[in-house]
Structure formats: structure tokens, C-alpha cells
Amino acid sequence: MKVLIAGGAGFIGSTVASYLLDSGHEPVILDNLATGRREFCQGRTFYEGDIADPAILDQIFAEHPDIDTVVHCAALIVVPESVQHPVHYYRENVAKTLEFVDHLIAKGVTRLVFSSSAAIYEPGADFSVDEDSTVTAISPYARTKAIVEQMLADIAAATPLRVLSLRYFNPIGADP
Ligand SMILES: NC(=O)c1ccc[n+]([C@@H]2O[C@H](COP(=O)([O-])OP(=O)(O)OC[C@H]3O[C@@H](n4cnc5c(N)ncnc54)[C@H](O)[C@@H]3O)[C@@H](O)[C@H]2O)c1
């Protein structure tokens, strides 16, 4: 299976790419290297560019018409920075995701995994959250995730796109 990984030069995306390769699948990486690292893409199919750039998406789908699924890990993720620069965060995480998804649907993509976050849960009295916690995003970063989840649910209801929003908690570790 060929899988487009947006944000595949980052921590999570490059690990997903490693796992896909180990499982016999073929990752195709799109990353603008805003925070990602070129060396994490070494030896992998890599396109340097932005998820909201229609030209690079056209090129990727022309060269890989057999892309089956998309994993969307491309985002800015620093909570204090999102408080200081909310316009930037809503543009990068929400507005660009909308452009990206619109393009994916036009290309006939029907399967999308979205990297959401446990940051959208409201912490309890002991500051912990679990999957039964109330969804109340408490930072601009977290709100970008909650908004995109809702946006994708509406889009999935009206188009052939099937979406899985995966709420990461604390992924820790390193690929040797
Ligand atoms: N690391 C965590 O603990 C954690 C927890 C919950 C959710 N997440 C989510 O997982 C995803 C990946 O997080 P990460 O920790 O790997 O962060 P990261 O910063 O290592 O990776 C994000 C990648 O996206 C790329 N990127 C950002 N904007 C882009 C754009 N417009 N076009 C193309 N590429 C772009 C960056 O260059 C980077 O390589 C994010 O969506 C994040 O919200 C991460």
C-alpha cells in the first residue's frame, strides 16, 4: 500500500514512515521542513513543500496515482507559541488543512488519518485526562485540533472521504 504522510519529516510522521516500511508498505513524504528534519527522510520518497500548495500536490499525485491512504501529521505543535501567535496557528493548522483536504478529495482520496491530540480533553482535578474526559480545548493549539476534527467529521458526512482522528496522548521513544 502506498501512503502519503504529510509532516513525514517530523517526530511522529517519520516514525509512522518507518513502521510502514517495516510492514512492507511505501510511504511518500510531504513536508515543508518548518520543524521537520531532512535527514529523517533520507532514502525515502520525499517532496519538500507545503500541504496547501496545489502545485506540489498535483506533482505528487501525478507521480504516485496509486496513493491509497493519507496520514496527516503536518502541524505546528507548541502550545505557548500558539497563545502568542494564534493567527499563524489557525492558518497553518486549520486553514491549510482545509485546502489540503479539498485537494485530496479532488484527487479521489477516500482514507485519511488525522493526527489529533489528547490536548483537546479538559484535565480533571488531578490534571489527568483519559478518553472519557470532556472535550474542551484549553489552548489555541488544542482548539486547532478540535476544529479540524469537527471540520473533518462534516466533510466525511458529505463526501466519500473516510476519516479517523487519532488523539495521541504522550508518544515517547526513538527509532534506533
Ligand atoms: N508529539 C506529540 O506528543 C503529539 C501529541 C499529540 C498530537 N501530536 C500531533 O502529531 C502531529 C505530529 O507531531 P510531531 O510531534 O511529530 O511534530 P513535529 O513538529 O516533529 O512534526 C510536524 C511536521 O509537520 C511539518 N509541517 C508543519 N506544517 C506543515 C505544512 N504546512 N506543510 C508541510 N509540512 C508541514 C513540519 O515541518 C514537521 O516535520 C501533529 O499534528 C501534532 O499535533 C503530537
Side-chain angles (χ1 to χ4, degrees), residues 1-4 20-21 23-28 66-71 111:
M1 180 166 73
K2 201 176 267 190
V3 180
L4 175 63
L20 285 169
L21 284 166
S23 310
H25 300 295
E26 190 182 342
V28 174
D66 49 342
I67 285 173
D68 189 64
T69 295
V70 177
V71 178
R111 299 202 290 183

Side-chain angles (χ1 to χ4, degrees), residues 9-141:
F11 170 47
I12 306 260
S14 65
T15 306
V16 171
S18 298
Y19 186 80
L20 285 169
L21 284 166
D22 290 348
S23 310
H25 300 295
E26 190 182 342
V28 174
I29 293 160
L30 169 63
D31 200 297
N32 67 4
L33 299 182
T35 56
R37 299 175 68 130
R38 191 180 297 278
E39 62 268 34
F40 286 179
C41 305
Q42 215 168 4
R44 298 177 176 180
T45 307
F46 171 50
Y47 292 82
E48 182 174 347
D50 199 282
I51 57 165
D53 177 2
I56 195 129
L57 291 171
D58 284 344
Q59 185 190 348
I60 290 171
F61 280 93
E63 293 175 5
H64 303 278
D66 49 342
I67 285 173
D68 189 64
T69 295
V70 177
V71 178
H72 179 20
C73 301
L76 300 179
I77 69 160
V78 183
V79 171
E81 199 177 77
S82 79
V83 175
Q84 269 189 307
H85 304 291
V87 172
H88 187 49
Y89 266 66
Y90 282 110
R91 180 183 298 117
E92 294 300 313
N93 291 3
V94 180
K96 286 189 174 181
T97 293
L98 186 59
E99 293 306 315
F100 182 50
V101 168
D102 191 21
H103 215 98
L104 296 180
I105 293 169
K107 296 293 180 200
V109 172
T110 57
R111 299 202 290 183
L112 175 70
V113 178
F114 170 59
S115 274
S116 188
S117 173
I120 70 172
Y121 292 121
E122 184 174 34
D126 63 354
F127 299 108
S128 71
V129 297
D130 62 26
E131 287 164 346
D132 296 319
S133 301
T134 311
V135 173
T136 309
I138 59 169
S139 72
Y141 163 71

